[in-house]
Amino acid sequence: DQQVKQNSPSLSVQEGRISILNCDYTNSMFDYFLWYKKYPAEGPTFLISISSIKDKNEDGRFTVFLNKSAKHLSLHIVPSQPGDSAVYFCAASEGGGSNYKLTFGKGTLLTVNP
Amino acid sequence: KAGVTQTPRYLIKTRGQQVTLSCSPISGHRSVSWYQQTPGQGLQFLFEYFSETQRNKGNFPGRFSGRQFSNSRSEMNVSTLELGDSALYLCASRPDRVDEAFFGQGTRLTVV
């Protein structure tokens, strides 16, 4: 049973426009959410995170929105740049203690066209 | 600060052999976790170590094991390799009481 789902395997946007990547989760115990960016043959790079007590977190061009009632989060990239082309993973955790682990979605391939 | 370092980057092994992968975390990070990435299953949690103790384990067979040393460096071992163990193995470290994990570049294991 997939607890974190990214239903769009791929997304293509024009340079300068907004990219919106979506993620849904089913486990109510998740209390922290993260987005990672990954290039082929490299490890994931941490982008931005949000705690379940917030509904928005912003860092430069990246904003993450959390809708707890809908169990949905999204990553907005504005403006999109060709260098943003990569696979984006949504991840969730149930806390940073002894039960810590990250549960990942299967990723969305973002292509930003010049 | 240096990032998470994994060695080797690439490895080819034969079915039935065993393999050991190594991970050096970011300085000061006591938590090290391991993940397996395959095209079909995505990124899956293997286990987490903290101060030389395994604190959490994912749903993998006992052929997958690990350990952590007093300097927080960690090793992961897979015994009796199967073709399906071919994957990118990723190590991540994080500071205490923080959920953000920082990943190494991974070890690409190919079992033939």
Side-chain angles (χ1 to χ4, degrees), chain A residues 71-87:
Chain A
K71 293 191 176 68
H72 176 83
L73 63 154
S74 60
L75 174 68
H76 293 211
I77 306 174
V78 184
S80 302
Q81 300 173 353
D84 295 330
S85 298
V87 177

Side-chain angles (χ1 to χ4, degrees), chain A residues 25-107:
Chain A
Y25 63 95
T26 57
N27 187 344
S28 301
M29 300 302 292
F30 288 146
D31 61 2
Y32 207 82
F33 303 89
L34 309 91
W35 285 93
Y36 285 86
K37 172 182 176 180
K38 187 178 183 302
Y39 295 114
E42 291 188 10
T45 301
F46 169 72
L47 272 177
I48 191 169
S49 59
I50 188 167
S51 163
S52 60
I53 62 173
K54 295 186 175 181
D55 55 17
K56 178 183 174 181
N57 189 25
E58 196 169 351
D59 184 1
R61 297 186 297 116
F62 302 91
T63 303
V64 56
F65 295 92
L66 175 62
N67 182 333
K68 275 188 69 177
S69 60
K71 293 191 176 68
H72 176 83
L73 63 154
S74 60
L75 174 68
H76 293 211
I77 306 174
V78 184
S80 302
Q81 300 173 353
D84 295 330
S85 298
V87 177
Y88 288 77
F89 289 96
C90 169
S93 72
E94 293 181 40
S98 59
N99 289 326
Y100 173 84
K101 70 174 184 180
L102 291 178
T103 301
F104 284 87
K106 297 216 169 173

Side-chain angles (χ1 to χ4, degrees), chain A residues 38 41-44, chain B residues 4-11 21-23 34-35 37 87-92 103-109:
Chain A
K38 187 178 183 302
E42 291 188 10
Chain B
V4 177
T5 304
Q6 290 188 245
T7 56
R9 289 292 312 277
Y10 302 93
L11 208 47
L21 313 180
S22 181
C23 172
W34 289 87
Y35 293 81
Q37 185 185 22
L88 181 66
Y89 290 89
L90 293 158
C91 168
F103 285 82
Q105 290 191 295
T107 294
R108 168 69 64 184
L109 172 65

Side-chain angles (χ1 to χ4, degrees), chain B residues 77-91:
Chain B
N77 186 76
V78 188
S79 62
T80 321
L81 284 165
E82 300 176 0
L83 295 178
D85 296 333
S86 295
L88 181 66
Y89 290 89
L90 293 158
C91 168

